[in-house]
Amino acid sequence: MAERTIRLHLQVEGVVQGVGFRPFVYSLAKSWQLSGVVGNNSLGAFVELEGSEDAVAGFQRDLRLQAPPLAVIDRVTAREVTPTGLQTGFRIAGSQLARLGQTQIAPDCATCADCLRELTDPDDRRYGYPFINCTNCGPRLTIVQDVPYDRPRTTMAGFPMCEPCRREYDDPGDRRFHAQPVCCADCGPRLRLSGFEGGPGEVIAKVAQLLREGQIVAVKGLGGYHLAVDATSDRGTRTLRQRKHRDEKAFAVMVSDLEMARSLAEIAPADELLLTSPARPIVLVPRREPAGLVAAAVAPGQRQLGLMLPYTPLHVLLMREFAGPLVLTSGNVSEEPIAFLDGDARQRLGGIADAFLTHDRPIHLRVDDSVARSFRGEPMLIRRSRGYAPRAIRLPVTAARPVLGCGAELKSTFCLAQGDSATLSPHLGDLKNYETFRSYADGITHLSRLVGISPVVVAHDLHPDYLSTKHAQELAESGLELAGVQHHHAHIASCLVDNGSPGPVIGVAFDGTGYGTDGTLWGGEFLVADLVQARRAGHLAAVPMPGGESAVRQPWRMAAAYCAQLAATPAVAQRYPREWEAVTRLAGSGFAAPPTSSAGRLFDAVACLVGVRDEVSYEGQAAVELEQLANQAARGWYQSEIREFGEMPFQIRGADLVAAVLADLERNVPAADIAMRFHRGLALSIADGCQLIRETSGLGTVALSGGVFQNVLLLELAVAHLERRGFKVLTHRRIPANDGGISIGQAAIAATRDAGSADAR
Ligand SMILES: [Zn+2]
Ligand SMILES: [Zn+2]
């Protein structure tokens, strides 16, 4: 008996556009001798298959097992349709322009192994061509202007394909079939070096020569401009610092390969995976002592280096020619956003760069490099941007209506959620910068279009002065529904999303500061939280923040505030003969000294007292340096008292830790030992606080979130204490623990609340 012929319609959702999915389906269908069609639509890709039942089943199995490397299949929905009975073969359809739902644009991706081989093969027609790419690699998010993802809606629209490129693009059997940015030296973008004529090879040789001479070169990359300088040049790196007005923040360094990375830093297996992943983030790794090769001005006072591997063919060619570590830092002045438009880059970087290495493929969306480090053998993202955005993150809930999470302010991102899928924007930076704010507002509109989500609910921080809050209010005027979410609740929610858990948990949210439900500044919080609500169960005892915001820039003010509580006068007071007393009085008066329970400010106070620094040039600097100072071989720890107040939240006396620091300073204990004892003391307090909450709530899972937990020393100590006491501990991996994760936490909470009220309706 002949086998039954069936016809199936498959809807495939996930990252399936621009990643070689259609040619893959095409050859798979051919191998199973099926006829039908595959095409992109606004939900992802659709497939119609006709053939024997067995063959269709085999195809369905292989679809998931053999999918191309960059494809991510979230969901396949199958429905049987009437067979046509025609053996018309299998074909690839053009895009359906329908806009029914969500599509996923792939993140930009580092050059693949096949393209690398061609790039270095003298017999290949793309030998040495700095813009080589294929369906498995190359620019994506940064060049997409609109959806569906097709060449005319990218910044490659201005480069008509030559005959050989067109043939590859049209051939379903080719690796470049429907690779939208496909091009070659004859038809594609061209490399340019200011004031120099020549082919790509000569240009790159010239740039390497300029770099060897210690010159600063602006290099146009994937998501923006970088500033490059020889990382071994003292003069070059110092000049770059001066011209960029960047005092102390470390520069990222590009290395040619893992071997060069290992010559500069200790590379653990997890770091190696991160470094070589298609996302190619900057990876923070412990530098080798003595660091030797790398100039002091690259990462002053740091025990870590931020390293990355080449991720565009241009980087590959440049690194081959230069053959040494290269500073590759974002092309901007001080805290401005990275330059990505050519004219603007000329203007803003003209005073910094000695030369411009550019090309004529426009960048449509500014996307910064991502930053990661590893924790317990797993990646932990600190800045989620190029290579990761806009890949969707699965929510542990299903949003009834589309939600926008507006994020925080300093490390801003926004998040669009629909159904159980959330799209976190690339890192945007400080919204107080006007240009950053503009790309934030424009970015919301752009990404909403790309992912096909029109938000109905807008979640925002409770801080009335955050520009993200104000933006949410503006959107509300055009009819969107507002949903306020407390800052630290959003942190814990982001950690829950990262771990695919709806809670409830004991949430420990330690950060700089965030607006509390009582209008004071929180930042050392113990919450009992799920994705709907949070109850403040405990916190670090509040201390005044003398001078408000200026205490963030001047950690010595926090030292004064803590010392005032202890009636102590530390050595550092002598460095401020006039101001110390005035600030102490300010702290006592409560005037212009808002109380804060911030863990970040406690770190600041201790960092100042042990002599790390009195003032900072970027947020969290003192804490970062205190972590690096800590001597892990030191013995001992500090202890702080937990005060209970019945139904009210308990309070952990951070001042006890400060008192112990002062006592050790009196005894001339080395600063590195004090730093370690402080970390241990704080980790112990975290575990004690959680234990207290477990006794009354019965909860056995703890979520650790907030910028302070980027400190892997504190994180490791806290996790170890908690696990020893039988807790299950959730930490961050894909979503930053800092304010970059706030928007997805907000979106998850707003979605869950909305789903709850939809059930009630
Ligand atoms: Zn490739
Ligand atoms: Zn071509």
Side-chain angles (χ1 to χ4, degrees):
M1 199 178 96
E3 238 189 307
R4 192 165 83 96
T5 293
I6 61 164
R7 189 175 180 91
L8 219 54
H9 179 95
L10 303 177
Q11 178 61 54
V12 187
E13 290 169 62
V15 182
V16 289
Q17 294 188 10
V19 292
F21 190 73
R22 284 180 297 172
F24 154 69
V25 167
Y26 175 88
S27 33
L28 188 62
K30 291 237 152 188
S31 74
W32 282 103
Q33 294 173 318
L34 295 165
S35 60
V37 60
V38 58
N40 285 342
N41 60 13
S42 51
L43 285 165
F46 68 92
V47 187
E48 290 229 0
L49 295 167
E50 186 164 333
S52 80
E53 219 167 346
D54 281 356
V56 170
F59 173 95
Q60 282 181 285
R61 186 189 60 232
D62 289 351
L63 184 72
R64 280 185 185 272
L65 289 178
Q66 297 172 16
L70 293 185
V72 180
I73 298 178
D74 283 343
R75 193 167 13 219
V76 180
T77 327
R79 114 182 107 82
E80 228 177 287
V81 292
T82 318
T84 61
L86 305 168
Q87 294 297 318
T88 46
F90 201 87
R91 67 186 178 89
I92 294 178
S95 295
Q96 286 185 347
L97 283 157
R99 294 188 156 277
L100 300 166
Q102 292 168 273
T103 55
Q104 289 189 26
I105 301 290
D108 301 278
C109 177
T111 313
C112 74
D114 288 331
C115 284
L116 278 181
R117 197 168 17 76
E118 291 168 353
L119 182 68
T120 50
D121 174 5
D123 293 330
D124 193 272
R125 71 182 193 92
R126 291 189 180 84
Y127 173 64
Y129 180 56
F131 304 97
I132 186 171
N133 66 79
C134 72
T135 33
N136 299 324
C137 74
R140 294 288 187 277
L141 175 66
T142 52
I143 60 165
V144 177
Q145 295 161 320
D146 205 352
V147 279
Y149 175 61
D150 261 333
R151 193 174 179 104
R153 284 174 288 268
T154 70
T155 62
M156 284 300 289
F159 299 94
M161 276 177 256
C162 67
E163 247 334 287
C165 282
R166 166 62 69 184
R167 270 200 301 278
E168 293 167 323
Y169 182 88
D170 286 336
D171 176 4
D174 195 278
R175 198 173 91 246
R176 295 197 167 83
F177 176 74
H178 278 226
Q180 304 309 340
V182 71
C183 58
C184 70
D186 291 334
C187 64
R190 275 160 203 246
L191 202 57
R192 284 195 195 126
L193 174 63
S194 47
F196 183 83
E197 291 293 323
E202 294 155 294
V203 164
I204 285 162
K206 177 71 183 171
V207 170
Q209 183 205 324
L210 295 177
L211 289 167
R212 276 192 290 271
E213 289 165 5
Q215 299 210 36
I216 297 165
V217 182
V219 180
K220 185 174 176 184
L222 264 184
Y225 276 74
H226 281 116
L227 290 161
V229 75
D230 181 353
T232 66
S233 161
D234 268 310
R235 189 175 53 84
T237 50
R238 274 205 314 271
T239 310
L240 178 56
R241 250 179 215 290
Q242 272 162 17
R243 294 191 192 162
K244 234 173 105 78
H245 301 295
R246 176 143 156 173
D247 294 337
E248 281 146 333
K249 217 169 185 170
F251 290 142
V253 174
M254 185 171 272
V255 287
S256 323
D257 48 29
L258 283 172
E259 197 187 331
M260 193 184 285
R262 288 204 181 89
S263 73
L264 302 178
E266 309 283 346
I267 311 290
D271 299 321
E272 183 176 324
L273 281 179
L274 271 169
L275 280 167
T276 55
S277 71
R280 295 284 153 95
I282 296 168
V283 186
L284 303 180
V285 281
R287 66 198 286 174
R288 279 196 189 282
E289 300 294 349
L293 247 148
V294 170
V298 170
Q302 302 269 323
R303 281 198 197 171
Q304 295 203 316
L305 275 180
L307 299 183
M308 64 176 150
L309 292 183
Y311 55 83
T312 68
L314 175 56
H315 293 149
V316 172
L317 296 169
L318 185 58
M319 292 305 291
R320 267 169 206 239
E321 192 71 33
F322 181 68
L326 197 63
V327 163
L328 213 59
T329 184
S330 45
N332 56 8
V333 180
S334 192
E335 299 298 311
E336 286 176 3
I338 180 169
F340 73 111
L341 299 170
D342 298 322
D344 179 59
R346 287 255 163 217
Q347 206 170 23
R348 279 165 53 196
L349 307 180
I352 304 177
D354 300 306
F356 279 78
L357 178 61
T358 66
H359 56 77
D360 51 359
R361 183 182 71 210
I363 298 172
H364 187 71
L365 189 72
R366 166 196 290 131
V367 181
D368 288 83
D369 290 323
S370 294
V371 182
R373 67 194 295 190
S374 63
F375 174 68
R376 287 192 162 191
E378 296 254 15
M380 182 171 98
L381 281 180
I382 290 170
R383 185 162 78 195
R384 187 182 185 272
S385 218
R386 178 188 50 74
Y388 297 97
R391 176 158 296 151
I393 295 171
R394 181 66 61 89
L395 294 176
V397 293
T398 301
R401 296 181 292 171
V403 181
L404 166 68
C406 285
E409 182 168 83
L410 193 58
K411 291 183 165 72
S412 68
T413 58
F414 60 86
C415 176
L416 292 154
Q418 179 164 291
D420 60 359
S421 155
T423 304
L424 189 55
S425 77
H427 158 89
L428 289 149
D430 187 355
L431 294 184
K432 285 199 286 292
N433 178 291
Y434 176 68
E435 213 194 313
T436 305
F437 182 76
R438 256 188 35 203
S439 28
Y440 169 82
D442 294 348
I444 291 175
T445 313
H446 179 59
L447 208 62
S448 296
R449 265 181 81 76
L450 290 196
V451 299
I453 298 180
S454 314
V456 175
V457 179
V458 186
H460 62 87
D461 199 271
L462 297 183
H463 201 307
D465 299 331
Y466 274 2
L467 290 168
S468 57
T469 306
K470 293 185 171 163
H471 190 68
Q473 285 159 349
E474 245 168 65
L475 292 173
E477 278 169 27
S478 49
L480 277 70
E481 206 172 292
L482 284 177
V485 176
Q486 199 276 324
H487 191 87
H488 302 94
H489 186 198
H491 269 311
I492 299 305
S494 73
C495 186
L496 287 175
V497 171
D498 205 343
N499 289 276
S501 161
V505 288
I506 299 169
V508 183
F510 276 20
D511 68 354
T513 39
Y515 208 77
T517 51
D518 58 0
T520 70
L521 297 172
W522 294 8
E525 309 308 309
F526 291 76
L527 309 174
V528 170
D530 57 19
L531 290 177
V532 176
Q533 52 195 355
R535 173 174 65 83
R536 195 185 199 196
H539 55 87
L540 291 180
V543 292
M545 214 167 115
E549 278 296 299
S550 57
V552 178
R553 292 265 155 195
Q554 300 178 313
W556 68 267
R557 287 172 177 264
M558 289 314 299
Y562 270 103
C563 288
Q565 288 204 336
L566 298 164
T569 309
V572 51
Q574 288 159 21
R575 293 202 286 275
Y576 299 89
R578 286 189 306 280
E579 300 99 317
W580 189 274
E581 239 211 88
V583 165
T584 303
R585 261 203 313 277
L586 199 61
S589 73
F591 175 72
T596 182
S597 54
S598 162
R601 298 292 85 80
L602 173 60
F603 263 93
D604 284 354
V606 172
C608 168
L609 291 172
V610 302
V612 164
R613 56 177 53 252
D614 299 349
E615 310 207 353
V616 295
S617 59
Y618 62 90
E619 201 238 350
Q621 185 181 10
V624 167
E625 291 176 8
L626 191 67
E627 174 193 357
Q628 299 197 7
L629 174 70
N631 168 22
Q632 301 198 24
R635 288 157 177 265
W637 66 89
Y638 302 145
Q639 203 124 29
S640 54
E641 189 195 333
I642 300 188
R643 292 193 176 164
E644 292 182 77
F645 303 88
E647 294 292 292
M648 301 280 288
F650 63 78
Q651 296 187 15
I652 293 176
R653 274 178 50 88
D656 290 349
L657 300 178
V658 175
V661 168
L662 292 171
D664 268 355
L665 283 169
E666 283 285 315
R667 285 194 289 270
N668 292 317
V669 174
D673 292 19
I674 296 178
M676 190 62 203
R677 291 176 182 177
F678 167 72
H679 274 85
R680 290 203 185 111
L682 193 58
L684 196 60
S685 300
I686 289 168
D688 288 345
C690 291
Q691 195 163 330
L692 211 52
I693 298 171
R694 181 167 61 185
E695 282 163 17
T696 54
S697 68
L699 293 170
T701 304
V702 175
L704 301 176
S705 190
V708 167
F709 287 111
Q710 285 168 178
N711 177 330
V712 293
L713 175 58
L714 179 70
L715 185 61
E716 176 57 52
L717 291 166
V719 172
H721 274 303
L722 288 164
E723 286 182 346
R724 224 173 290 136
R725 298 185 193 185
F727 284 102
K728 180 176 186 232
V729 188
L730 309 180
T731 60
H732 281 265
R733 294 189 300 263
R734 298 168 297 163
I735 299 170
N738 60 43
D739 280 5
I742 286 286
S743 63
I744 194 168
Q746 292 170 339
I749 291 167
T752 313
R753 286 178 182 163
D754 196 44
S757 54
D759 288 346
R761 277 199 290 269

